[in-house]
Amino acid sequence: MMAMSLTGRSTVCRWLAYSGSPILIEELLYKPKHSLIDQSLHARLGVETTNGDGFGIGWYADDPEDGIPAVFRDEGPAWSNRNLRELAAHVRSPMLFGHIRASTGTAVQQTNCHPFRHGRWLWMHNGSIAEFLRVKRDLVLQVEPSLYPYIEGSTDSEVMFFLALSLGLDHDPPAAVERMVDLVERVGRKHDVKYPVQMTVATTDGQQLWAFRYSSEHRSRSLFFSSDVFALRQMQPDNPNLQLVSEESRLIVSEPIVDLEGAWNEVPESSWGIVQAGDDELHPFTPRAA
Amino acid sequence: MMAMSLTGRSTVCRWLAYSGSPILIEELLYKPKHSLIDQSLHARLGVETTNGDGFGIGWYADDPEDGIPAVFRDEGPAWSNRNLRELAAHVRSPMLFGHIRASTGTAVQQTNCHPFRHGRWLWMHNGSIAEFLRVKRDLVLQVEPSLYPYIEGSTDSEVMFFLALSLGLDHDPPAAVERMVDLVERVGRKHDVKYPVQMTVATTDGQQLWAFRYSSEHRSRSLFFSSDVFALRQMQPDNPNLQLVSEESRLIVSEPIVDLEGAWNEVPESSWGIVQAGDDELHPFTPRAA
Amino acid sequence: MMAMSLTGRSTVCRWLAYSGSPILIEELLYKPKHSLIDQSLHARLGVETTNGDGFGIGWYADDPEDGIPAVFRDEGPAWSNRNLRELAAHVRSPMLFGHIRASTGTAVQQTNCHPFRHGRWLWMHNGSIAEFLRVKRDLVLQVEPSLYPYIEGSTDSEVMFFLALSLGLDHDPPAAVERMVDLVERVGRKHDVKYPVQMTVATTDGQQLWAFRYSSEHRSRSLFFSSDVFALRQMQPDNPNLQLVSEESRLIVSEPIVDLEGAWNEVPESSWGIVQAGDDELHPFTPRAA
Amino acid sequence: MMAMSLTGRSTVCRWLAYSGSPILIEELLYKPKHSLIDQSLHARLGVETTNGDGFGIGWYADDPEDGIPAVFRDEGPAWSNRNLRELAAHVRSPMLFGHIRASTGTAVQQTNCHPFRHGRWLWMHNGSIAEFLRVKRDLVLQVEPSLYPYIEGSTDSEVMFFLALSLGLDHDPPAAVERMVDLVERVGRKHDVKYPVQMTVATTDGQQLWAFRYSSEHRSRSLFFSSDVFALRQMQPDNPNLQLVSEESRLIVSEPIVDLEGAWNEVPESSWGIVQAGDDELHPFTPRAA
C-alpha cells in the first residue's frame, strides 16, 4: 500500500480574508509585497514550507442576486495558475477568501481545496485535526444526516465545516464553532489524542466575517488583522485603487503580507473576532458542550 | 448551490479485464479495432455516451515482489492521455484492468477513478447505486470501521468495494459480493428505491479474476467474455505478440472490442464467473443476507 | 515515435461569440437548450464528434480600465469544469467568446486552447490548415519577428492569428484576414496541398466583432448569426435576464443553439460580417495578396 | 498583457541520470535520503527554490523491442503525483532520466517538461539560454527544417535539443553539443547578450550516457557523478536491491542526493563525460564552430 505522506512535510496552509469596499482581486492576491501568491512559493514565518497542493478563492459578487458566493479552486500550485491571475485582474468583490494548501497526505484534488461552500457560507482553515484518520468516522457520524451527502472531499477541514453547520453555524457562528471544537476534542480524547485541534478558521455568510484562533495545546498558528484602513493603503502607497477603500475595510491573514510597523495586530491565543458594518469585535474562544 | 448533473447524461462506464500470458498493455488498450480507448470517444452499444470523465488501469507486475498491483488513474479523458499511451507501450502484465468513466455528477477527480485498490485487490464497476446520495450515509456506516478511513473518493462504486471488503471479499469473493448487493438492496428499499443496484463488476487478487453481472431490475448492463484464445488472436491476425498468448488467456469486457462472429459470449443476466488456472466457471448470482 | 492522431477523429471545434448588453455568462453558455456546453458532449450537425480536448472563454469587463480581455482556458472537457460554471454564474460581460476544442493531434494543453489573445484582441477558429506540419515552418517565418516570441502553443489556429496580426489586423481586420488566407494558400500550394484553408473565425478588439467563413474548397464549416434580438429572447422565453438585452445584441455560432424557425441566418459561403454599434454588415470574402 | 514571471524566482531545475543494472525506479527517485522528489520541495545547495512546475522521467525497457524510451511527464508537482509513485514502484529500468522543473516564465505544461525525446534519444537540461525570447526566432531558424515540426513546447531547453539533433547528435554527441553551444553564443552575442548559455545537460541513446557542464560565464550550475558503485550501495546500506547493482552502475545528479564523504565527484567546470560499458571518460568542453 502506498504511503502517502512525505517525511518532514509540515502542514501549514495559508489564507487571507478581505471585507470592505469592492476591490479588484489582484490588489489583494498579487500586488502586495510578500503577497499570498508569493507565500505559496516561500513562507517566512513559522515552519518553512511550500504551499503547492492546490488553492482556492471564494468571492461574493458586488451586486449579488442570490447571495451565493463563487468558488474557484484548482489542485495545482497557485503561483503558476494563469486562470487565477486572469480572474483576479478582471473581477471585483467586497468579500474575498483566498487559501493556499499544503497537504498532509490527503489527496491533492479540487474537492479538498479551500474555501468550502454550503449555501451562502464559505469556510477555510489552517491547521489540522490530530490523528484524523483514527477519529474521522466518529466525527462524520455527528454530521447532520441531511448535510452528510454534501461532503465531497476527504479533509479534516471540510468535516469541521460540516460539523459547525450541523451545530448551528447559520444561527450563531461563534457558538457553533465552539461546539464543534468541543466535539472534536471529546472524540479525540476518547481516542487518546492529546491535542486534538489546531486551527485558525475564517467563515462568512457574505455579510459578516468571523475569524477564530484556537488549539487544544494553546499554541495556535498565527493570525493577524489589519489595524485599520491605513495599513491597507500603505501596502501600496502608489496604488490609487487602494487609496479609495473605505474606513471599514479589513484584512485578516495567517501571515502579514507586508512589512509595516503597527499595521498588523495579532489575534490573541484562544479568541475569535468579527468584522462587520459598525464596530468590529474580539472575544475569548472557549469550547462548549453542544 | 451549483447543480452538478447535466441533463440527459447517461451513466455507462466501460471496462476491460485481462488475465493470461504477460502482454504489452497497448495490445489490449490501443491496438484492437473498436478498442477501449476508441470507445472512450464513441460507444456503439447501448446508450450513446462519451467516457471522458477520467480513466484508470490497474496491473500486476510480471514478477511481483509483494503482489500489490499498480494503479494509474487520471481525471482527464483517456483518448488524449499521453502518459497512458507511453506506459501501455512499455509495460507488460499478466493481469490488467482498464476502465473509462462517465460521471453521473460526482466529482471528476483521480480518487473517483476505477480501478480501486485495497492491498492486493482491485475493483471496477459499471452501473450505479440508485439514489446514491440518499442512501450513502446508511451504506457507509456498514463499512468495517478499520476500513472506513481508506475510502478516499465519493463514488457509489468505491463504497460497493469497501462493503464487499467488509463482508469477506478476501475469503469468498462471490459470497461477499452477493452479501454486498443484498445490503444495498435492503438499504435502498428502506428508502423507497425501487431498483437499488445496477452493476457489472470485476475484481481480482492478482491470481483469480471474478466478474459479476446483476441488477435489481434484472436488466443489467452488457458483459462479455472471450470464448477462447482464438478470439484474442483474431483481434489482430497480423500481430505476432497476440499469436503467442496462452490457451488460458481471457478477456472480459463491457462491450465487444472487435467484430467477430462467435468470438464473444455474453455473460447471462444475474450470474458470476471466475477466470483462473484450470477450468473457468459460470454460476448464478443471488443476493444473500450477510 | 508515438503516433498522436486517433484514426477517424474529426476536427470540428465549436464556438460562440456574443456582442450586446452585459449579460451573465451562464445565460449564453449553460442555460440555452443545446448550449455550447451540451454540444461539447454531443454534436448534432455535421460530423459527430466530441469536443473534450480543452475549452476557453474570453470576455471584456463591463467597465474596462485597460481594454484587455480576460481569458480562461483549460485542457480538460468543458462539461465537467466546475470553475467555468462558477465563473459563468458570477461574471457579466458585453462581449464574450466561447470555444470547445477537438484536437487533431496537437497537444491537449492550455496554450493550444482558444480564444487566443494579443493586447486587446481575441481570436478563435474552427477548421484547420491542411498538412499543417509540412507548411508550419514556412508560415511561422512570415510572422513579424517582434510578434514571434508571443506564440505560445503549437496549433495552426494560433499561427493564423499571428499572421493576421502581422498583416494588419489592428488596422483593417477584413483585409488582414484576406491577406493571411492568401498567404496560407500560396504556401500550401507550394507544398502541393490542394485545399490549404478551412475556417470559420471570430475576432474582436472589444468594440467590434468580425466573423469569417471561408475554405479553399468552398465547402466551409457552418456559421450562423442570430437574426435579431427576438431570437435571443426566445432562447429562453421565461428568462427575464434575456428579455432585457438590447436591440443590437447578437450571437454568432458554429451551430444553432436552439431550435427556432427563422431565428438563425446562415453566413453565406466565402463571406465576412461585422457586428457593431449601428448597422451590421455582410461582405464577400476574397483572399488577396499582401 | 499578463506578465508571466514572478519576481525573485530562480531558475534551477534539478535532474538525475542513472545507467547500470536494471533497478526499480523508486530505488532512485524516492528511497534515498534527500531524493530528487524531496528536492522538489526543498533544495539545499545553491539558490533556494521550489521545483513544482512539472516533472518528467524517461526510461528504457529492460528488454526493448524498438529501443524507443518511454516518457512520463506531468505539469503538476512531482511530490504529490501518485501515478509517478505507482509507476516507480512497479517498473525497472537500466537507464533512467528524472527531472523536476522550476519554470522561468514559459508555460507550465506537459510539452515543456523534460526529458525531451526524439527517436531513441532523451535530453534534459538545467539552466537557460539568456534573453531567450529575444534570440528564439534566430535559433529556431537554425533547426533542420525536417526536424522543426517535432518541436512541441516553448522552452529554451527543447530548442537546444533540436539544435543539437540538427548538428549531429546522432553521430557525435559531444561535437554536436559543442556546436550547439557555439551557435547559441554567437546568436546571443549578436543580440548583445553577455553570457548566452548556462547549462548542465544529460543525453542518451539508451546505450551510452553523456553529461555536460558549461556556461558562457564559466560559473556553471553544479553537477556530480557517483564515484563508484559503493556510493550507490551506501545510499541505503539496508536495501538489498541496491547491494546487487553492478560495478559499472553510475548516477549523475545536479545535486548530491545523500550525505556521504567521498561518494560524489564534482564534474569540473567546462567539461563533459560519458558513462558506458568499459571505462567512463571525462573531457574538456569547448564550443566549436559547426
Side-chain angles (χ1 to χ4, degrees):
Chain A
M1 186 102 288
M2 187 179 84
M4 279 181 292
S5 62
L6 295 173
T7 309
R9 291 190 68 186
S10 61
T11 67
V12 181
C13 300
R14 297 173 202 289
W15 58 258
L16 164 161
Y18 170 80
S19 170
S21 308
I23 191 171
L24 260 188
I25 291 173
E26 70 176 6
E27 304 286 358
L28 299 167
L29 285 192
Y30 288 92
K31 292 201 175 170
K33 267 194 299 183
H34 198 55
S35 72
L36 194 71
I37 303 303
D38 284 344
Q39 290 179 34
S40 72
L41 272 169
H42 299 294
R44 285 187 314 173
L45 294 185
V47 186
E48 290 296 317
T49 190
T50 298
N51 296 93
D53 298 331
F55 69 89
I57 63 172
W59 78 93
Y60 296 80
D62 206 356
D63 56 340
E65 277 184 31
D66 54 6
I68 306 293
V71 172
F72 177 94
R73 304 186 293 177
D74 196 276
E75 68 186 39
W79 65 76
S80 60
N81 194 286
R82 293 184 175 196
N83 287 330
L84 176 62
R85 189 169 276 239
E86 292 284 319
L87 200 152
H90 288 84
V91 174
R92 289 170 196 284
S93 173
M95 180 77 85
L96 172 78
F97 274 24
H99 187 279
I100 53 178
R101 187 170 178 242
S103 168
T104 56
T106 49
V108 175
Q109 60 190 19
Q110 192 180 35
T111 54
N112 282 350
C113 292
H114 309 224
F116 301 99
R117 176 184 60 194
H118 188 75
R120 303 166 56 99
W121 288 85
L122 291 179
W123 174 278
M124 61 185 170
H125 168 231
N126 171 24
S128 61
I129 295 178
E131 306 277 348
F132 180 56
L133 289 186
R134 277 172 54 208
V135 300
K136 182 178 180 181
R137 186 172 186 275
D138 284 359
L139 291 176
V140 169
L141 285 182
Q142 300 299 319
V143 171
E144 170 67 30
S146 65
L147 290 172
Y148 173 83
Y150 294 99
I151 300 178
E152 281 203 295
S154 54
T155 63
D156 49 0
S157 306
E158 191 186 21
V159 170
M160 290 168 85
F161 180 32
F162 276 85
L163 287 173
L165 286 165
S166 302
L167 294 165
L169 187 68
D170 211 7
H171 304 297
D172 184 346
V177 176
E178 288 178 337
R179 286 183 201 116
M180 177 273 285
V181 167
D182 177 71
L183 175 61
V184 176
E185 290 191 328
R186 278 188 292 114
V187 167
R189 284 169 189 145
K190 204 181 71 181
H191 288 265
D192 296 320
V193 178
K194 192 167 181 190
Y195 300 122
V197 173
Q198 172 64 262
M199 74 179 205
T200 66
V201 160
T203 191
T204 180
D205 61 356
Q207 302 298 318
Q208 292 169 296
L209 164 60
W210 292 264
F212 301 84
R213 184 181 184 212
Y214 178 79
S215 59
S216 307
E217 196 181 3
H218 301 302
R219 296 177 60 178
S220 304
R221 300 281 166 74
S222 62
L223 189 63
F224 298 85
F225 61 98
S226 58
S227 53
D228 57 33
V229 72
F230 297 110
L232 283 179
R233 292 179 186 158
Q234 281 177 273
M235 279 165 53
Q236 303 162 59
D238 303 330
N239 184 329
N241 292 323
L242 273 187
Q243 306 319 308
L244 298 174
V245 299
S246 71
E247 293 294 323
E248 294 193 336
S249 298
R250 287 288 179 279
L251 264 179
I252 307 181
V253 294
S254 56
E255 279 198 0
I257 58 173
V258 70
D259 302 305
L260 286 182
E261 286 292 328
W264 297 96
N265 294 322
E266 188 162 18
V267 175
E269 181 64 57
S270 302
S271 55
W272 64 269
I274 179 169
V275 176
Q276 57 190 350
D279 286 344
D280 299 342
E281 298 172 22
L282 195 59
H283 299 275
F285 180 92
T286 313
R288 62 164 94 176
Chain B
M1 188 103 288
M2 188 178 83
M4 278 180 291
S5 62
L6 294 174
T7 310
R9 291 190 69 186
S10 61
T11 67
V12 182
C13 298
R14 297 171 203 289
W15 58 258
L16 164 161
Y18 171 80
S19 170
S21 307
I23 191 171
L24 259 189
I25 291 173
E26 70 176 6
E27 305 285 357
L28 299 168
L29 286 191
Y30 289 91
K31 293 201 173 169
K33 268 194 301 184
H34 197 58
S35 72
L36 193 72
I37 304 301
D38 284 345
Q39 290 179 34
S40 72
L41 272 169
H42 301 293
R44 284 188 315 174
L45 296 184
V47 186
E48 289 296 319
T49 189
T50 297
N51 296 93
D53 298 330
F55 69 88
I57 63 173
W59 78 93
Y60 296 80
D62 206 356
D63 57 339
E65 276 183 33
D66 54 6
I68 306 293
V71 172
F72 177 94
R73 305 186 294 177
D74 195 278
E75 67 186 39
W79 65 75
S80 60
N81 194 286
R82 293 182 175 198
N83 287 331
L84 176 62
R85 188 168 276 238
E86 292 285 318
L87 199 151
H90 288 84
V91 175
R92 290 170 194 284
S93 174
M95 180 76 85
L96 173 78
F97 274 24
H99 187 279
I100 52 179
R101 186 169 180 243
S103 168
T104 56
T106 48
V108 175
Q109 61 191 18
Q110 191 180 35
T111 54
N112 282 350
C113 292
H114 311 222
F116 300 98
R117 176 184 60 194
H118 188 75
R120 303 166 56 100
W121 288 86
L122 290 179
W123 175 278
M124 61 185 170
H125 169 231
N126 171 25
S128 61
I129 294 178
E131 307 277 350
F132 179 55
L133 289 187
R134 277 173 52 208
V135 301
K136 182 177 181 182
R137 187 173 184 274
D138 283 0
L139 292 176
V140 169
L141 285 183
Q142 300 299 319
V143 172
E144 170 65 30
S146 65
L147 291 171
Y148 173 83
Y150 294 99
I151 301 178
E152 281 203 295
S154 55
T155 65
D156 48 2
S157 306
E158 191 187 21
V159 170
M160 290 168 85
F161 179 32
F162 276 85
L163 288 173
L165 286 165
S166 301
L167 294 165
L169 186 68
D170 210 9
H171 304 296
D172 184 345
V177 176
E178 288 179 336
R179 286 183 202 118
M180 177 273 286
V181 167
D182 177 72
L183 174 62
V184 176
E185 290 190 328
R186 280 187 292 112
V187 167
R189 282 167 190 148
K190 205 181 70 181
H191 288 265
D192 296 319
V193 178
K194 193 168 181 189
Y195 299 123
V197 172
Q198 171 65 262
M199 74 177 206
T200 65
V201 160
T203 191
T204 180
D205 61 356
Q207 301 300 317
Q208 292 168 296
L209 164 61
W210 293 265
F212 301 85
R213 184 182 184 214
Y214 178 79
S215 59
S216 306
E217 196 182 2
H218 301 302
R219 296 178 58 179
S220 303
R221 300 281 166 74
S222 62
L223 189 62
F224 300 85
F225 60 99
S226 59
S227 52
D228 57 31
V229 72
F230 297 110
L232 283 180
R233 291 180 187 159
Q234 282 176 272
M235 278 166 53
Q236 303 161 59
D238 303 331
N239 183 331
N241 292 323
L242 273 187
Q243 306 319 308
L244 297 174
V245 299
S246 70
E247 293 296 321
E248 294 193 336
S249 298
R250 288 287 180 278
L251 263 179
I252 307 181
V253 295
S254 56
E255 281 198 359
I257 57 173
V258 71
D259 301 305
L260 286 182
E261 286 292 330
W264 297 97
N265 295 321
E266 189 163 16
V267 175
E269 181 65 56
S270 301
S271 56
W272 65 270
I274 180 170
V275 176
Q276 57 191 348
D279 288 343
D280 298 342
E281 298 173 21
L282 194 60
H283 299 276
F285 181 92
T286 314
R288 62 164 94 175
Chain C
M1 187 102 286
M2 188 178 84
M4 279 180 292
S5 62
L6 294 173
T7 310
R9 291 191 68 186
S10 62
T11 67
V12 182
C13 300
R14 296 172 203 288
W15 59 257
L16 164 161
Y18 170 81
S19 169
S21 308
I23 191 170
L24 260 188
I25 291 173
E26 70 176 7
E27 304 286 358
L28 299 168
L29 286 191
Y30 288 91
K31 292 200 174 171
K33 268 195 298 185
H34 197 56
S35 72
L36 193 72
I37 303 302
D38 284 344
Q39 290 179 34
S40 73
L41 272 168
H42 300 293
R44 285 187 316 173
L45 296 184
V47 185
E48 290 296 319
T49 190
T50 298
N51 296 93
D53 297 330
F55 70 87
I57 62 172
W59 78 92
Y60 295 80
D62 206 357
D63 57 340
E65 276 184 31
D66 54 5
I68 307 293
V71 172
F72 177 94
R73 305 185 294 176
D74 195 278
E75 68 184 39
W79 66 74
S80 60
N81 194 286
R82 293 182 174 196
N83 288 330
L84 176 62
R85 189 170 275 237
E86 292 285 318
L87 199 152
H90 288 84
V91 174
R92 290 169 195 284
S93 174
M95 180 76 86
L96 172 77
F97 274 24
H99 187 278
I100 53 179
R101 185 169 179 243
S103 167
T104 56
T106 47
V108 175
Q109 60 190 20
Q110 192 179 35
T111 54
N112 282 350
C113 292
H114 309 224
F116 301 99
R117 176 183 59 193
H118 188 75
R120 302 167 57 101
W121 288 86
L122 291 178
W123 175 278
M124 61 185 171
H125 168 232
N126 170 24
S128 61
I129 294 178
E131 306 277 350
F132 180 55
L133 289 187
R134 278 173 51 207
V135 300
K136 182 177 181 182
R137 188 173 183 273
D138 284 0
L139 292 176
V140 168
L141 285 183
Q142 300 299 319
V143 172
E144 171 66 30
S146 65
L147 290 172
Y148 173 83
Y150 294 99
I151 300 178
E152 281 202 295
S154 54
T155 65
D156 49 1
S157 306
E158 190 186 22
V159 170
M160 290 168 84
F161 179 31
F162 276 86
L163 288 173
L165 286 166
S166 302
L167 293 165
L169 187 68
D170 211 7
H171 304 296
D172 185 345
V177 176
E178 288 179 337
R179 285 183 203 117
M180 177 272 287
V181 167
D182 177 72
L183 175 62
V184 176
E185 290 191 328
R186 279 188 292 114
V187 167
R189 283 168 189 147
K190 203 181 70 181
H191 287 266
D192 296 320
V193 177
K194 193 167 181 190
Y195 300 122
V197 172
Q198 172 65 264
M199 74 178 206
T200 65
V201 160
T203 190
T204 179
D205 61 355
Q207 302 299 318
Q208 292 168 295
L209 164 60
W210 292 264
F212 300 84
R213 183 181 185 214
Y214 178 79
S215 59
S216 307
E217 196 182 2
H218 302 301
R219 297 177 59 177
S220 303
R221 301 280 166 73
S222 62
L223 190 61
F224 298 86
F225 61 99
S226 59
S227 53
D228 57 32
V229 72
F230 297 109
L232 284 180
R233 292 178 187 160
Q234 282 176 272
M235 279 166 50
Q236 302 162 62
D238 303 331
N239 183 330
N241 292 323
L242 273 188
Q243 306 318 308
L244 298 174
V245 298
S246 71
E247 294 294 322
E248 294 194 336
S249 298
R250 288 286 179 281
L251 263 179
I252 307 181
V253 294
S254 57
E255 280 197 1
I257 57 174
V258 71
D259 301 305
L260 285 182
E261 287 292 328
W264 297 97
N265 295 321
E266 188 162 17
V267 175
E269 180 64 56
S270 302
S271 55
W272 64 269
I274 179 170
V275 175
Q276 57 191 350
D279 288 343
D280 298 343
E281 298 172 22
L282 195 59
H283 300 276
F285 181 91
T286 314
R288 62 164 94 174
Chain D
M1 188 102 288
M2 188 177 82
M4 280 181 290
S5 63
L6 294 173
T7 310
R9 291 190 69 186
S10 61
T11 67
V12 181
C13 299
R14 295 173 204 289
W15 58 257
L16 164 160
Y18 170 80
S19 169
S21 308
I23 191 170
L24 261 187
I25 291 174
E26 70 176 7
E27 304 285 357
L28 299 168
L29 286 191
Y30 289 91
K31 292 200 174 170
K33 267 194 301 184
H34 197 55
S35 72
L36 193 71
I37 304 302
D38 283 344
Q39 289 180 34
S40 72
L41 273 169
H42 300 294
R44 285 188 316 174
L45 294 185
V47 186
E48 288 297 318
T49 190
T50 298
N51 296 95
D53 297 330
F55 69 88
I57 64 172
W59 78 93
Y60 296 80
D62 207 355
D63 57 340
E65 276 184 31
D66 54 6
I68 307 293
V71 172
F72 177 94
R73 305 184 294 177
D74 195 277
E75 67 186 39
W79 65 75
S80 60
N81 194 286
R82 293 183 175 196
N83 288 330
L84 176 62
R85 190 170 275 238
E86 292 286 320
L87 199 152
H90 288 84
V91 174
R92 288 171 195 283
S93 174
M95 180 76 85
L96 172 78
F97 274 24
H99 187 277
I100 53 178
R101 186 170 178 241
S103 168
T104 56
T106 48
V108 175
Q109 59 190 19
Q110 191 179 36
T111 54
N112 282 351
C113 292
H114 310 222
F116 301 98
R117 176 184 60 194
H118 188 76
R120 303 166 57 98
W121 288 86
L122 291 178
W123 175 278
M124 61 185 169
H125 168 230
N126 170 24
S128 61
I129 295 178
E131 307 277 348
F132 180 54
L133 289 186
R134 277 172 51 207
V135 301
K136 182 177 181 183
R137 187 173 184 274
D138 283 359
L139 292 176
V140 169
L141 285 182
Q142 300 299 318
V143 172
E144 170 66 31
S146 65
L147 290 172
Y148 173 83
Y150 295 98
I151 300 178
E152 282 203 296
S154 53
T155 64
D156 49 1
S157 306
E158 191 186 21
V159 170
M160 290 167 84
F161 179 32
F162 276 85
L163 287 173
L165 286 165
S166 302
L167 293 166
L169 187 67
D170 212 6
H171 304 296
D172 185 344
V177 176
E178 288 178 337
R179 287 183 202 116
M180 177 273 286
V181 167
D182 176 72
L183 175 61
V184 176
E185 291 191 326
R186 279 188 292 114
V187 167
R189 283 168 189 147
K190 203 180 71 182
H191 288 265
D192 295 320
V193 178
K194 193 167 180 189
Y195 300 122
V197 172
Q198 171 66 261
M199 74 180 206
T200 66
V201 160
T203 190
T204 179
D205 61 355
Q207 301 300 318
Q208 292 169 295
L209 163 61
W210 293 264
F212 300 85
R213 184 181 184 214
Y214 178 80
S215 59
S216 307
E217 196 182 1
H218 302 302
R219 297 177 59 176
S220 304
R221 301 281 166 74
S222 63
L223 188 62
F224 299 84
F225 60 98
S226 58
S227 53
D228 57 33
V229 72
F230 297 109
L232 284 179
R233 292 179 186 158
Q234 282 176 271
M235 279 165 53
Q236 302 162 63
D238 303 330
N239 184 329
N241 292 324
L242 274 188
Q243 306 318 308
L244 298 173
V245 298
S246 71
E247 294 294 322
E248 294 194 336
S249 298
R250 288 287 179 280
L251 264 179
I252 308 181
V253 295
S254 56
E255 279 198 2
I257 58 172
V258 70
D259 301 305
L260 287 181
E261 286 292 328
W264 297 96
N265 295 322
E266 188 162 17
V267 175
E269 180 66 55
S270 302
S271 55
W272 65 269
I274 179 169
V275 176
Q276 58 191 350
D279 287 344
D280 299 342
E281 298 172 21
L282 195 59
H283 300 276
F285 181 91
T286 314
R288 62 164 96 174

